[in-house]
Amino acid sequence: MGLLLVLVLATAAQAQTAAPSAVALVAKETVYDFGKIPQGKPAYTTFTLVNKSNATIKLDNVSASCGCTTPEWNKEPIAPGASTAIRVGYNAAESGPFERIITVQYNGGQTVQMSVKGAVWAPPAGAAPPNVAVQFLKQQTQ
């Protein structure tokens, strides 16, 4: 009976240590939709991350799934309950729909991901045709 009790307690203790830890760093928003943006005009947004743990968190790296997306972040540790901002820019060089993943690595191996998406539209190839009404008004005021 004593041996059985020891085995049950040992198994319970092992199960508790094997349980996944709570998420320490939480993004207030995980997806940002730029909507339609003009080609060649960079677009920016800011993600806010909150430290939900009881310990200080250090961001090890922030990377994007494509070189067209550039994250900028503060290298200072994040105190428990505090937040930090990650500014993400998208260069909009190619027309068409896009979705890019931003991965935040922190505390030596944990990660949180966010994404940006939207559609880039190409402006017309040539200059806009002359506006006859504008030309007429210019002549009237001279």
Side-chain angles (χ1 to χ4, degrees):
M1 175 77 170
L3 180 60
L4 180 60
L5 182 60
V6 169
L7 286 173
V8 169
L9 290 175
T11 303
Q14 184 179 15
Q16 285 181 345
T17 58
S21 61
V23 176
L25 193 61
V26 177
K28 285 189 175 180
E29 181 181 31
T30 57
V31 177
Y32 183 80
D33 189 347
F34 284 112
K36 293 183 178 183
I37 54 178
Q39 186 176 18
K41 183 170 176 117
Y44 299 91
T45 190
T46 300
F47 288 99
T48 300
L49 300 174
V50 180
N51 180 350
K52 296 286 189 176
S53 74
N54 294 326
T56 300
I57 290 178
K58 179 186 178 301
L59 299 185
D60 300 320
N61 191 33
V62 181
S63 59
S65 59
C66 175
C68 59
T69 308
T70 54
E72 299 172 4
W73 71 98
N74 188 335
K75 311 293 192 273
E76 297 298 317
I78 309 162
S83 62
T84 190
I86 296 178
R87 185 172 189 248
V88 176
Y90 179 71
N91 72 5
E94 297 291 324
S95 63
F98 67 91
E99 183 169 7
R100 302 294 182 259
I101 306 296
I102 297 90
T103 302
V104 179
Q105 298 171 331
Y106 64 98
N107 284 1
Q110 294 177 306
T111 62
V112 63
Q113 289 187 325
M114 295 91 59
S115 66
V116 292
K117 65 181 183 176
V120 177
W121 57 273
N131 187 331
V132 178
V134 171
Q135 296 301 326
F136 176 76
L137 287 173
K138 284 182 179 179
Q139 289 174 354
Q140 297 299 317
T141 57
Q142 293 178 352

